[in-house]
Structure formats: structure tokens, C-alpha cells
Coordinates of all heavy atoms in Angstrom, one line a residue:
M86 N -27.1 -16.8 -5.0 CA -26.2 -15.7 -4.7 C -27.0 -14.4 -4.5 O -27.8 -14.0 -5.4 CB -25.2 -15.6 -5.9 CG -24.2 -14.5 -5.7 SD -23.1 -14.2 -7.1 CE -22.8 -15.9 -7.7
K87 N -26.9 -13.9 -3.3 CA -27.6 -12.6 -3.0 C -26.7 -11.6 -2.5 O -25.6 -11.9 -1.9 CB -28.7 -12.8 -2.0 CG -29.8 -13.8 -2.4 CD -30.8 -13.8 -1.4 CE -31.9 -14.9 -1.8 NZ -33.0 -15.0 -0.8
I88 N -27.1 -10.3 -2.7 CA -26.2 -9.2 -2.1 C -26.7 -9.0 -0.7 O -27.9 -9.3 -0.4 CB -26.3 -7.9 -3.0 CG1 -27.8 -7.5 -3.1 CG2 -25.7 -8.2 -4.3 CD1 -27.9 -6.1 -3.7
N89 N -25.9 -8.4 0.0 CA -26.2 -8.2 1.4 C -27.1 -6.9 1.5 O -26.8 -5.9 1.0 CB -24.9 -7.9 2.2 CG -25.0 -7.7 3.7 OD1 -26.1 -7.6 4.2 ND2 -23.9 -7.7 4.4
L90 N -28.1 -7.1 2.2 CA -29.1 -6.0 2.3 C -28.9 -5.1 3.6 O -29.7 -4.3 3.9 CB -30.6 -6.5 2.3 CG -30.9 -7.3 1.1 CD1 -32.4 -7.8 1.1 CD2 -30.9 -6.4 -0.2
D91 N -27.9 -5.4 4.3 CA -27.5 -4.6 5.5 C -27.0 -3.2 5.0 O -25.8 -3.1 4.7 CB -26.5 -5.3 6.4 CG -26.2 -4.6 7.7 OD1 -26.8 -3.6 7.9 OD2 -25.2 -5.0 8.3
Y92 N -27.8 -2.2 5.2 CA -27.3 -0.8 4.7 C -26.2 -0.3 5.5 O -25.4 0.5 5.0 CB -28.5 0.1 4.7 CG -29.5 -0.2 3.7 CD1 -30.7 -0.9 4.0 CD2 -29.4 0.3 2.4 CE1 -31.6 -1.1 3.1 CE2 -30.3 0.1 1.4 CZ -31.4 -0.7 1.7 OH -32.3 -0.9 0.8
D93 N -26.1 -0.7 6.8 CA -25.1 -0.1 7.6 C -23.7 -0.8 7.3 O -22.6 -0.1 7.5 CB -25.4 -0.3 9.1 CG -26.6 0.5 9.5 OD1 -26.8 1.6 8.9 OD2 -27.4 0.1 10.3
G94 N -23.7 -2.0 7.0 CA -22.4 -2.8 6.8 C -22.0 -3.0 5.4 O -21.0 -3.7 5.2
Y95 N -22.7 -2.5 4.5 CA -22.4 -2.9 3.1 C -22.8 -1.8 2.2 O -24.0 -1.3 2.2 CB -23.2 -4.2 2.8 CG -22.8 -4.9 1.6 CD1 -21.4 -5.4 1.4 CD2 -23.6 -5.1 0.5 CE1 -21.1 -6.1 0.3 CE2 -23.2 -5.8 -0.7 CZ -22.0 -6.3 -0.7 OH -21.5 -7.0 -1.9
D96 N -22.0 -1.3 1.3 CA -22.2 -0.2 0.4 C -22.0 -0.7 -1.0 O -20.9 -0.9 -1.5 CB -21.3 1.0 0.8 CG -21.6 2.3 -0.1 OD1 -22.8 2.4 -0.5 OD2 -20.7 3.0 -0.3
I97 N -23.1 -0.7 -1.7 CA -23.1 -1.0 -3.1 C -23.0 0.3 -3.9 O -24.0 1.1 -3.8 CB -24.3 -1.9 -3.5 CG1 -24.2 -3.1 -2.8 CG2 -24.3 -2.1 -5.0 CD1 -25.4 -4.0 -3.0
K98 N -22.1 0.5 -4.6 CA -21.9 1.8 -5.3 C -22.6 1.8 -6.7 O -23.1 2.9 -7.0 CB -20.4 2.1 -5.5 CG -19.5 2.0 -4.3 CD -18.9 3.4 -3.9 CE -18.1 3.3 -2.8 NZ -18.6 3.5 -1.5
S99 N -22.6 0.7 -7.4 CA -23.2 0.8 -8.7 C -23.9 -0.5 -9.0 O -23.5 -1.5 -9.5 CB -22.1 0.9 -9.8 OG -22.7 1.0 -11.1
L100 N -25.2 -0.4 -8.7 CA -26.1 -1.5 -9.0 C -26.2 -1.8 -10.5 O -26.3 -3.0 -10.9 CB -27.5 -1.3 -8.4 CG -27.6 -1.1 -7.0 CD1 -29.0 -0.7 -6.5 CD2 -27.2 -2.4 -6.3
S101 N -26.2 -0.8 -11.3 CA -26.2 -1.0 -12.8 C -25.1 -1.8 -13.3 O -25.2 -2.6 -14.2 CB -26.4 0.4 -13.5 OG -25.2 1.1 -13.3
E102 N -23.8 -1.6 -12.7 CA -22.6 -2.3 -13.2 C -22.8 -3.8 -12.8 O -22.4 -4.7 -13.5 CB -21.4 -1.7 -12.5 CG -20.9 -0.5 -13.2 CD -19.6 0.0 -12.6 OE1 -18.8 -0.8 -12.1 OE2 -19.4 1.3 -12.5
I103 N -23.3 -4.1 -11.5 CA -23.6 -5.4 -11.2 C -24.5 -6.1 -12.1 O -24.4 -7.2 -12.6 CB -24.1 -5.5 -9.7 CG1 -23.0 -5.0 -8.7 CG2 -24.5 -7.0 -9.3 CD1 -23.5 -4.9 -7.3
F104 N -25.7 -5.4 -12.4 CA -26.7 -5.9 -13.2 C -26.2 -6.2 -14.6 O -26.5 -7.2 -15.3 CB -28.0 -5.0 -13.2 CG -29.2 -5.7 -13.7 CD1 -29.9 -6.6 -13.0 CD2 -29.6 -5.5 -15.0 CE1 -31.0 -7.2 -13.4 CE2 -30.7 -6.1 -15.5 CZ -31.4 -7.0 -14.8
S105 N -25.4 -5.2 -15.2 CA -24.9 -5.4 -16.6 C -23.9 -6.6 -16.6 O -23.9 -7.3 -17.5 CB -24.3 -4.1 -17.1 OG -23.1 -3.7 -16.4
G106 N -23.1 -6.8 -15.5 CA -22.2 -7.9 -15.4 C -23.0 -9.2 -15.4 O -22.5 -10.2 -16.0
V107 N -24.1 -9.2 -14.6 CA -24.9 -10.4 -14.6 C -25.5 -10.7 -15.9 O -25.4 -11.9 -16.4 CB -26.0 -10.2 -13.4 CG1 -27.1 -11.3 -13.7 CG2 -25.4 -10.2 -12.1
T108 N -26.0 -9.7 -16.6 CA -26.5 -9.9 -17.9 C -25.5 -10.4 -18.9 O -25.9 -11.4 -19.7 CB -27.1 -8.5 -18.5 OG1 -28.1 -8.0 -17.5 CG2 -27.7 -8.7 -19.8
A109 N -24.3 -9.9 -18.9 CA -23.3 -10.4 -19.8 C -23.0 -11.8 -19.5 O -22.7 -12.7 -20.4 CB -22.0 -9.5 -19.6
L110 N -22.9 -12.2 -18.2 CA -22.6 -13.6 -17.8 C -23.7 -14.5 -18.2 O -23.5 -15.6 -18.6 CB -22.3 -13.7 -16.3 CG -20.9 -13.2 -15.9 CD1 -20.9 -13.1 -14.3 CD2 -19.8 -14.0 -16.3
Q111 N -25.0 -14.1 -18.2 CA -26.1 -14.9 -18.6 C -26.0 -15.2 -20.0 O -26.3 -16.3 -20.5 CB -27.5 -14.1 -18.2 CG -27.8 -14.2 -16.7 CD -28.4 -15.5 -16.4 OE1 -27.9 -16.6 -16.8 NE2 -29.2 -15.6 -15.4
K112 N -25.6 -14.2 -20.9 CA -25.5 -14.4 -22.2 C -24.4 -15.5 -22.6 O -24.6 -16.3 -23.4 CB -25.1 -13.1 -23.0 CG -26.2 -12.2 -23.1 CD -25.9 -10.8 -23.7 CE -27.0 -9.9 -23.7 NZ -26.7 -8.5 -24.2
K113 N -23.4 -15.4 -21.7 CA -22.3 -16.4 -22.0 C -22.7 -17.8 -21.5 O -22.3 -18.8 -22.2 CB -21.0 -16.0 -21.2 CG -20.3 -14.7 -21.8 CD -19.1 -14.3 -21.0 CE -18.6 -13.1 -21.7 NZ -17.3 -12.6 -21.2
C114 N -23.6 -17.9 -20.5 CA -24.1 -19.1 -20.1 C -25.0 -19.7 -21.2 O -25.0 -20.9 -21.5 CB -25.0 -19.0 -18.8 SG -23.9 -18.8 -17.3
K115 N -25.8 -18.9 -21.9 CA -26.6 -19.3 -22.9 C -25.8 -19.9 -24.1 O -26.1 -21.0 -24.6 CB -27.5 -18.2 -23.4 CG -28.5 -18.6 -24.4 CD -29.4 -17.4 -24.9 CE -30.3 -17.9 -26.0 NZ -31.1 -16.8 -26.6
I116 N -24.7 -19.2 -24.4 CA -23.9 -19.7 -25.4 C -23.2 -21.0 -25.1 O -23.2 -21.9 -25.9 CB -22.7 -18.6 -25.7 CG1 -23.4 -17.4 -26.4 CG2 -21.7 -19.2 -26.7 CD1 -22.5 -16.2 -26.5
L117 N -22.8 -21.1 -23.8 CA -22.2 -22.4 -23.4 C -23.2 -23.5 -23.4 O -22.8 -24.7 -23.8 CB -21.6 -22.2 -22.0 CG -20.3 -21.4 -21.9 CD1 -20.0 -21.1 -20.4 CD2 -19.2 -22.1 -22.6
L118 N -24.4 -23.2 -23.1 CA -25.5 -24.3 -23.1 C -25.7 -24.7 -24.6 O -26.0 -25.9 -24.9 CB -26.7 -23.9 -22.4 CG -26.5 -23.9 -20.9 CD1 -27.8 -23.2 -20.2 CD2 -26.3 -25.3 -20.3
E119 N -25.7 -23.8 -25.5 CA -25.8 -24.1 -26.9 C -24.7 -25.0 -27.4 O -24.8 -25.9 -28.1 CB -25.9 -22.8 -27.7 CG -27.2 -22.1 -27.5 CD -27.2 -20.7 -28.2 OE1 -26.2 -20.3 -28.8 OE2 -28.2 -20.0 -28.1
C120 N -23.5 -24.7 -26.9 CA -22.3 -25.5 -27.2 C -22.5 -26.9 -26.7 O -22.1 -27.9 -27.4 CB -21.0 -24.8 -26.7 SG -20.5 -23.3 -27.5
E121 N -23.0 -27.0 -25.5 CA -23.3 -28.4 -24.9 C -24.2 -29.1 -25.8 O -24.0 -30.3 -26.0 CB -23.9 -28.1 -23.5 CG -24.2 -29.4 -22.8 CD -25.6 -29.9 -23.1 OE1 -26.5 -29.1 -23.4 OE2 -25.8 -31.2 -23.0
E122 N -25.2 -28.5 -26.3 CA -26.1 -29.2 -27.3 C -25.4 -29.7 -28.4 O -25.6 -30.9 -28.9 CB -27.3 -28.4 -27.6 CG -28.2 -28.0 -26.5 CD -29.3 -27.0 -26.9 OE1 -29.4 -26.5 -28.0 OE2 -30.1 -26.6 -25.9
D123 N -24.5 -28.8 -29.0 CA -23.7 -29.2 -30.2 C -22.7 -30.4 -29.9 O -22.7 -31.3 -30.7 CB -22.9 -28.0 -30.7 CG -23.8 -27.0 -31.3 OD1 -25.0 -27.2 -31.6 OD2 -23.3 -25.8 -31.4
I124 N -22.1 -30.3 -28.7 CA -21.2 -31.4 -28.4 C -22.0 -32.7 -28.2 O -21.5 -33.8 -28.6 CB -20.4 -31.0 -27.1 CG1 -19.5 -29.8 -27.3 CG2 -19.7 -32.2 -26.5 CD1 -18.8 -29.2 -26.1
R125 N -23.1 -32.6 -27.5 CA -23.9 -33.8 -27.3 C -24.4 -34.4 -28.7 O -24.3 -35.7 -28.9 CB -25.2 -33.4 -26.5 CG -26.0 -34.7 -26.0 CD -27.2 -34.3 -25.2 NE -26.8 -33.7 -23.9 CZ -26.3 -34.3 -22.9 NH1 -26.3 -35.7 -22.9 NH2 -26.0 -33.7 -21.8
A126 N -24.7 -33.6 -29.6 CA -25.1 -34.0 -31.0 C -23.9 -34.7 -31.6 O -24.1 -35.7 -32.3 CB -25.6 -32.9 -31.8
Q127 N -22.7 -34.2 -31.5 CA -21.6 -34.8 -32.0 C -21.3 -36.1 -31.4 O -20.8 -37.1 -32.1 CB -20.4 -33.8 -31.8 CG -20.5 -32.5 -32.8 CD -19.4 -31.6 -32.6 OE1 -18.4 -31.9 -32.0 NE2 -19.5 -30.4 -33.2
I128 N -21.4 -36.2 -30.1 CA -21.2 -37.5 -29.5 C -22.2 -38.5 -29.9 O -21.9 -39.6 -30.2 CB -21.4 -37.3 -27.8 CG1 -20.2 -36.5 -27.3 CG2 -21.4 -38.7 -27.2 CD1 -20.5 -36.1 -25.8
D129 N -23.5 -38.1 -30.1 CA -24.5 -39.0 -30.6 C -24.1 -39.5 -31.9 O -24.3 -40.7 -32.3 CB -25.9 -38.3 -30.7 CG -26.5 -38.1 -29.3 OD1 -26.1 -38.6 -28.3 OD2 -27.3 -37.1 -29.2
Q130 N -23.6 -38.6 -32.9 CA -23.2 -38.9 -34.2 C -22.0 -39.9 -34.2 O -22.0 -40.9 -34.8 CB -22.8 -37.7 -35.0 CG -22.5 -38.0 -36.5 CD -23.6 -38.7 -37.2 OE1 -24.7 -38.4 -37.1 NE2 -23.3 -39.8 -37.9
A131 N -21.1 -39.6 -33.3 CA -19.9 -40.5 -33.2 C -20.3 -41.9 -32.7 O -19.7 -42.9 -33.1 CB -18.8 -39.9 -32.2
K132 N -21.3 -41.9 -31.8 CA -21.8 -43.2 -31.4 C -22.3 -44.1 -32.5 O -22.3 -45.3 -32.4 CB -22.8 -43.0 -30.2 CG -23.1 -44.2 -29.4 CD -24.1 -43.8 -28.3 CE -24.3 -45.0 -27.4 NZ -25.2 -44.7 -26.3
I133 N -22.9 -43.5 -33.5 CA -23.4 -44.2 -34.6 C -22.3 -44.7 -35.5 O -22.3 -45.9 -35.9 CB -24.3 -43.3 -35.5 CG1 -25.5 -42.9 -34.7 CG2 -24.7 -43.9 -36.8 CD1 -26.4 -41.8 -35.4
D134 N -21.2 -43.9 -35.6 CA -20.1 -44.3 -36.5 C -19.0 -45.1 -35.9 O -18.3 -45.9 -36.5 CB -19.5 -43.0 -37.0 CG -20.4 -42.2 -37.9 OD1 -21.4 -42.8 -38.4 OD2 -20.2 -41.0 -38.0
F135 N -18.8 -45.0 -34.5 CA -17.8 -45.8 -33.9 C -18.3 -46.5 -32.6 O -19.2 -46.0 -31.9 CB -16.7 -44.7 -33.3 CG -16.0 -44.1 -34.5 CD1 -16.4 -42.8 -34.8 CD2 -15.1 -44.6 -35.3 CE1 -15.9 -42.0 -35.8 CE2 -14.5 -43.9 -36.3 CZ -14.9 -42.6 -36.6
D136 N -17.8 -47.6 -32.3 CA -18.2 -48.4 -31.2 C -17.0 -48.3 -30.1 O -15.9 -48.9 -30.4 CB -18.5 -49.8 -31.6 CG -19.0 -50.6 -30.4 OD1 -19.7 -50.0 -29.6 OD2 -18.8 -51.9 -30.4
T137 N -17.3 -47.7 -29.0 CA -16.3 -47.7 -27.9 C -17.1 -47.7 -26.5 O -18.2 -47.2 -26.5 CB -15.4 -46.5 -28.0 OG1 -14.4 -46.6 -26.9 CG2 -16.1 -45.2 -28.1
A138 N -16.4 -48.1 -25.5 CA -17.0 -48.1 -24.2 C -16.9 -46.6 -23.5 O -17.4 -46.4 -22.4 CB -16.3 -49.1 -23.3
N139 N -16.3 -45.6 -24.1 CA -16.1 -44.4 -23.6 C -17.2 -43.4 -23.7 O -17.2 -42.3 -23.2 CB -14.8 -43.7 -24.2 CG -13.6 -44.5 -23.7 OD1 -13.5 -45.0 -22.6 ND2 -12.6 -44.5 -24.6
Y140 N -18.2 -43.8 -24.3 CA -19.4 -42.8 -24.5 C -20.0 -42.5 -23.2 O -20.5 -41.4 -22.9 CB -20.4 -43.4 -25.5 CG -19.9 -43.4 -26.9 CD1 -19.7 -44.6 -27.6 CD2 -19.6 -42.2 -27.6 CE1 -19.1 -44.6 -28.9 CE2 -19.2 -42.2 -28.8 CZ -19.0 -43.4 -29.5 OH -18.5 -43.4 -30.8
D141 N -20.1 -43.5 -22.2 CA -20.7 -43.2 -20.9 C -19.9 -42.1 -20.2 O -20.5 -41.2 -19.6 CB -20.8 -44.4 -20.1 CG -21.7 -45.5 -20.5 OD1 -22.7 -45.1 -21.3 OD2 -21.6 -46.7 -20.2
K142 N -18.6 -42.1 -20.3 CA -17.8 -41.0 -19.7 C -18.0 -39.8 -20.4 O -18.1 -38.7 -19.7 CB -16.3 -41.5 -19.8 CG -15.8 -42.6 -18.9 CD -14.4 -42.9 -19.1 CE -14.1 -44.2 -18.2 NZ -12.6 -44.5 -18.4
A143 N -18.1 -39.8 -21.7 CA -18.4 -38.6 -22.4 C -19.7 -37.9 -22.0 O -19.8 -36.7 -21.8 CB -18.3 -38.7 -23.9
Y144 N -20.7 -38.8 -21.9 CA -22.0 -38.3 -21.5 C -22.0 -37.8 -20.1 O -22.7 -36.7 -19.8 CB -23.1 -39.4 -21.7 CG -23.6 -39.6 -23.0 CD1 -23.4 -40.8 -23.8 CD2 -24.2 -38.5 -23.8 CE1 -23.8 -41.0 -25.1 CE2 -24.6 -38.7 -25.2 CZ -24.4 -39.9 -25.8 OH -24.8 -40.1 -27.0
E145 N -21.3 -38.5 -19.2 CA -21.1 -38.0 -17.8 C -20.5 -36.7 -17.7 O -20.9 -35.7 -17.0 CB -20.3 -39.0 -17.0 CG -21.1 -40.3 -16.6 CD -20.2 -41.3 -15.9 OE1 -19.1 -40.8 -15.4 OE2 -20.6 -42.4 -15.9
A146 N -19.5 -36.4 -18.6 CA -18.7 -35.1 -18.5 C -19.6 -34.0 -19.1 O -19.7 -33.0 -18.5 CB -17.5 -35.3 -19.5
I147 N -20.4 -34.3 -20.2 CA -21.2 -33.2 -20.7 C -22.4 -33.0 -19.8 O -22.9 -31.8 -19.7 CB -21.6 -33.6 -22.2 CG1 -22.2 -32.3 -22.9 CG2 -22.7 -34.7 -22.3 CD1 -21.1 -31.3 -23.2
D148 N -22.9 -34.0 -19.2 CA -24.0 -33.8 -18.2 C -23.6 -33.0 -17.0 O -24.2 -32.1 -16.6 CB -24.6 -35.2 -17.6 CG -25.3 -35.9 -18.7 OD1 -25.8 -35.2 -19.7 OD2 -25.6 -37.1 -18.5
S149 N -22.3 -33.3 -16.5 CA -21.8 -32.5 -15.5 C -21.6 -31.0 -15.8 O -21.9 -30.0 -15.1 CB -20.4 -33.1 -15.0 OG -19.8 -32.3 -14.0
F150 N -21.0 -30.8 -17.1 CA -20.8 -29.5 -17.6 C -22.2 -28.7 -17.6 O -22.3 -27.6 -17.2 CB -20.3 -29.6 -19.0 CG -20.1 -28.3 -19.7 CD1 -19.1 -27.4 -19.4 CD2 -21.1 -27.9 -20.7 CE1 -19.0 -26.2 -20.1 CE2 -21.0 -26.7 -21.3 CZ -19.9 -25.8 -21.1
K151 N -23.2 -29.4 -18.2 CA -24.5 -28.7 -18.2 C -25.1 -28.4 -16.9 O -25.7 -27.3 -16.7 CB -25.5 -29.7 -19.0 CG -26.9 -29.0 -19.3 CD -27.8 -30.0 -20.0 CE -29.1 -29.2 -20.3 NZ -30.0 -30.1 -21.1
T152 N -24.9 -29.3 -16.0 CA -25.4 -29.0 -14.6 C -24.7 -27.9 -14.0 O -25.4 -27.0 -13.3 CB -25.2 -30.3 -13.7 OG1 -26.0 -31.4 -14.3 CG2 -25.7 -30.1 -12.2
R153 N -23.4 -27.8 -14.1 CA -22.6 -26.6 -13.5 C -23.0 -25.3 -14.2 O -23.2 -24.3 -13.5 CB -21.2 -26.9 -13.7 CG -20.6 -28.0 -12.8 CD -19.2 -28.3 -13.1 NE -18.8 -29.4 -12.4 CZ -17.8 -29.5 -11.5 NH1 -17.0 -28.3 -11.4 NH2 -17.4 -30.6 -10.9
I154 N -23.2 -25.3 -15.5 CA -23.6 -24.1 -16.1 C -25.0 -23.7 -15.8 O -25.3 -22.5 -15.5 CB -23.5 -24.2 -17.6 CG1 -22.0 -24.4 -18.1 CG2 -24.0 -23.0 -18.4 CD1 -21.1 -23.3 -17.7
T155 N -25.9 -24.6 -15.7 CA -27.3 -24.4 -15.2 C -27.3 -23.8 -13.9 O -28.1 -22.9 -13.5 CB -28.2 -25.6 -15.5 OG1 -28.0 -26.1 -16.8 CG2 -29.6 -25.4 -15.1
N156 N -26.6 -24.5 -13.0 CA -26.6 -24.0 -11.6 C -26.0 -22.6 -11.5 O -26.5 -21.8 -10.8 CB -25.8 -24.9 -10.7 CG -26.5 -26.2 -10.4 OD1 -27.6 -26.3 -10.8 ND2 -25.6 -27.2 -10.0
F157 N -25.0 -22.3 -12.3 CA -24.4 -20.8 -12.2 C -25.4 -19.9 -12.8 O -25.6 -18.8 -12.2 CB -23.1 -20.9 -13.1 CG -22.4 -19.6 -13.1 CD1 -21.9 -19.0 -11.9 CD2 -22.2 -18.8 -14.2 CE1 -21.3 -17.8 -11.9 CE2 -21.6 -17.6 -14.3 CZ -21.2 -17.1 -13.1
S158 N -26.0 -20.3 -13.8 CA -27.2 -19.4 -14.4 C -28.3 -19.1 -13.5 O -28.7 -18.0 -13.3 CB -27.6 -20.0 -15.7 OG -28.6 -19.2 -16.2
D159 N -28.6 -20.2 -12.7 CA -29.6 -20.0 -11.6 C -29.2 -19.0 -10.5 O -29.9 -18.2 -10.0 CB -30.1 -21.3 -11.0 CG -30.7 -22.2 -12.0 OD1 -31.2 -21.8 -13.0 OD2 -30.8 -23.5 -11.7
E160 N -27.8 -19.1 -10.1 CA -27.3 -18.2 -9.2 C -27.2 -16.8 -9.7 O -27.5 -15.8 -9.0 CB -25.9 -18.6 -8.8 CG -25.7 -19.9 -8.0 CD -26.1 -19.7 -6.5 OE1 -26.0 -18.7 -6.0 OE2 -26.7 -20.7 -6.0
L161 N -27.0 -16.6 -11.0 CA -27.0 -15.3 -11.6 C -28.4 -14.8 -11.6 O -28.6 -13.5 -11.4 CB -26.5 -15.3 -13.1 CG -25.0 -15.6 -13.2 CD1 -24.6 -15.8 -14.6 CD2 -24.2 -14.4 -12.5
D162 N -29.5 -15.6 -11.9 CA -30.8 -15.1 -11.8 C -31.2 -14.6 -10.3 O -31.8 -13.6 -10.2 CB -31.8 -16.3 -12.2 CG -31.8 -16.6 -13.7 OD1 -31.3 -15.7 -14.5 OD2 -32.2 -17.7 -14.0
E163 N -30.7 -15.4 -9.4 CA -31.0 -14.9 -8.0 C -30.2 -13.7 -7.6 O -30.8 -12.8 -7.0 CB -30.5 -16.1 -7.1 CG -30.8 -15.8 -5.6 CD -30.4 -16.9 -4.7 OE1 -29.3 -17.5 -4.9 OE2 -31.1 -17.2 -3.8
L164 N -29.1 -13.5 -8.2 CA -28.3 -12.2 -8.0 C -29.0 -11.1 -8.6 O -29.1 -10.0 -8.0 CB -26.8 -12.4 -8.4 CG -25.9 -11.1 -8.4 CD1 -25.9 -10.7 -6.8 CD2 -24.6 -11.3 -8.9
A165 N -29.5 -11.2 -9.8 CA -30.2 -10.2 -10.6 C -31.5 -9.8 -9.8 O -31.7 -8.6 -9.6 CB -30.6 -10.6 -12.0
K166 N -32.1 -10.7 -9.3 CA -33.3 -10.4 -8.5 C -33.0 -9.7 -7.2 O -33.6 -8.8 -6.8 CB -34.1 -11.8 -8.2 CG -35.4 -11.6 -7.4 CD -36.1 -12.8 -7.0 CE -37.3 -12.6 -6.2 NZ -37.4 -11.5 -5.2
S167 N -31.9 -10.1 -6.6 CA -31.5 -9.5 -5.4 C -31.0 -8.1 -5.6 O -31.4 -7.2 -4.8 CB -30.3 -10.3 -4.8 OG -29.7 -9.7 -3.6
V168 N -30.4 -7.8 -6.7 CA -30.1 -6.5 -7.1 C -31.3 -5.6 -7.3 O -31.3 -4.5 -6.7 CB -29.1 -6.3 -8.4 CG1 -28.9 -5.0 -8.8 CG2 -27.7 -7.0 -8.0
N169 N -32.3 -6.1 -8.0 CA -33.5 -5.4 -8.2 C -34.2 -5.1 -6.9 O -34.7 -4.0 -6.6 CB -34.4 -6.1 -9.2 CG -34.0 -6.0 -10.6 OD1 -33.3 -5.0 -11.0 ND2 -34.3 -7.0 -11.4
D170 N -34.3 -6.2 -6.1 CA -34.9 -6.0 -4.7 C -34.2 -4.9 -3.9 O -34.9 -4.1 -3.2 CB -34.9 -7.4 -3.9 CG -35.9 -8.4 -4.6 OD1 -36.7 -8.0 -5.4 OD2 -35.7 -9.5 -4.2
Y171 N -32.9 -5.0 -3.9 CA -32.1 -4.0 -3.2 C -32.4 -2.5 -3.8 O -32.6 -1.6 -3.0 CB -30.6 -4.3 -3.3 CG -29.8 -3.3 -2.5 CD1 -29.4 -3.6 -1.2 CD2 -29.2 -2.2 -3.1 CE1 -28.5 -2.8 -0.5 CE2 -28.4 -1.4 -2.4 CZ -28.1 -1.7 -1.0 OH -27.2 -0.9 -0.3
A172 N -32.4 -2.3 -5.0 CA -32.6 -1.1 -5.6 C -34.1 -0.6 -5.3 O -34.2 0.6 -5.0 CB -32.5 -1.2 -7.1
E173 N -35.0 -1.5 -5.3 CA -36.4 -1.1 -5.0 C -36.5 -0.7 -3.5 O -37.2 0.4 -3.2 CB -37.4 -2.2 -5.4 CG -37.6 -2.4 -6.8 CD -38.4 -3.6 -7.1 OE1 -38.9 -4.3 -6.1 OE2 -38.6 -4.0 -8.3
D174 N -35.9 -1.4 -2.7 CA -35.9 -1.2 -1.2 C -35.2 0.2 -1.0 O -35.7 1.0 -0.2 CB -35.3 -2.2 -0.4 CG -35.3 -2.1 1.1 OD1 -36.5 -2.0 1.6 OD2 -34.4 -2.1 1.8
K175 N -34.1 0.4 -1.6 CA -33.3 1.6 -1.5 C -34.2 2.8 -1.9 O -34.3 3.9 -1.3 CB -32.0 1.6 -2.3 CG -31.1 2.7 -2.0 CD -29.8 2.5 -2.7 CE -28.9 3.6 -2.6 NZ -27.6 3.5 -3.4
E176 N -34.8 2.7 -3.1 CA -35.7 3.7 -3.6 C -36.8 4.0 -2.7 O -37.2 5.2 -2.5 CB -36.2 3.4 -4.9 CG -37.1 4.3 -5.7 CD -36.3 5.6 -6.1 OE1 -35.1 5.6 -6.2 OE2 -37.0 6.7 -6.0
R177 N -37.5 3.0 -2.2 CA -38.5 3.0 -1.2 C -38.1 3.8 0.1 O -38.8 4.7 0.5 CB -39.1 1.7 -0.9 CG -40.4 1.7 0.0 CD -40.8 0.3 0.4 NE -39.8 -0.5 1.0 CZ -39.4 -0.4 2.3 NH1 -39.9 0.5 3.1 NH2 -38.4 -1.3 2.7
R178 N -37.0 3.5 0.5 CA -36.5 4.1 1.8 C -36.2 5.6 1.6 O -36.3 6.4 2.5 CB -35.3 3.5 2.3 CG -35.6 2.0 2.9 CD -34.3 1.4 3.4 NE -34.5 0.1 3.8 CZ -34.1 -0.4 5.0 NH1 -33.4 0.4 5.8 NH2 -34.3 -1.6 5.3
W179 N -35.7 6.0 0.4 CA -35.3 7.3 0.2 C -36.4 8.2 -0.5 O -36.2 9.4 -0.6 CB -34.1 7.4 -0.7 CG -32.9 6.9 0.1 CD1 -32.4 5.6 0.0 CD2 -32.1 7.6 1.0 NE1 -31.3 5.5 0.9 CE2 -31.1 6.8 1.5 CE3 -32.1 8.9 1.6 CZ2 -30.1 7.1 2.5 CZ3 -31.2 9.3 2.5 CH2 -30.3 8.3 2.9
S180 N -37.6 7.7 -0.8 CA -38.6 8.5 -1.4 C -39.7 8.8 -0.4 O -39.7 8.5 0.7 CB -39.2 7.8 -2.5 OG -39.7 6.5 -2.2

């Protein structure tokens, strides 16, 4: 996810707000990934205590969850870099 670098067609009013929003979402992604680890550990424990064929589905669901959160976190990293690049380019052009 990148911001548009076309100065004529796109006006970004507050880069700091975008960056702080990205930072807040990154923290939430980190918490969600920690929750994923806890859920996986609980599934592993349940697998020891109970025998059922549904563990594969549970692992598929938790793997899908982790993949989606990781992909979103990667998109946020790209957005943060894009905001920094935009700010640096803007500063360079105006100085």
C-alpha cells in the first residue's frame, strides 16, 4: 500500500496523522499475532487431551488468520515507508 506521489493530483494534509495511524495499527497487529500464538498453544494442548478430526480445520483457520495479519502488517510497513519517502521528497523539493 503506497500513497500517491503525484503532487498535482493528490494532496496529503497530515502525514503525521497517517504515520501515527499506521503505528497504532502495527501495534494491534502485533497483539493479534501474540493472540494467534496463544490460540495455537491452546490447540496444541487440546490435541493432547482430546482426540478429534477437527484439529486440521483449526490449524488451517489459525494459519489463515496469521497469514492475513502478517500480510496486512507488511502493507502497513510499505505505507509507512511511502509516507516517509513522500515527506522526504516534499522537503527536498521545498528546500
Side-chain angles (χ1 to χ4, degrees):
M86 177 184 320
K87 294 182 181 178
I88 60 173
N89 187 345
L90 299 179
D91 181 10
Y92 289 97
D93 296 329
Y95 196 62
D96 183 25
I97 297 178
K98 303 245 187 273
S99 178
L100 294 174
S101 62
E102 285 183 30
I103 294 171
F104 196 78
S105 66
V107 166
T108 302
L110 287 171
Q111 283 287 33
K112 288 178 184 177
K113 290 179 182 183
C114 285
K115 183 178 177 184
I116 291 168
L117 288 171
L118 289 173
E119 289 170 0
C120 291
E121 179 270 336
E122 291 173 3
D123 292 341
I124 292 169
R125 187 176 301 276
Q127 290 176 10
I128 294 170
D129 291 340
Q130 183 60 45
K132 194 172 183 180
I133 294 169
D134 297 335
F135 301 99
D136 185 28
T137 179
N139 292 327
Y140 290 115
D141 289 339
K142 291 179 183 177
Y144 283 118
E145 286 176 19
I147 199 68
D148 289 342
S149 175
F150 174 80
K151 183 177 183 178
T152 299
R153 289 173 188 237
I154 296 299
T155 302
N156 289 344
F157 182 63
S158 181
D159 292 345
E160 290 287 326
L161 290 171
D162 288 340
E163 184 179 39
L164 178 58
K166 183 184 179 320
S167 178
V168 167
N169 284 334
D170 291 348
Y171 183 90
E173 288 172 6
D174 186 56
K175 187 176 177 183
E176 181 66 28
R177 183 184 53 79
R178 288 179 186 233
W179 290 99
S180 58

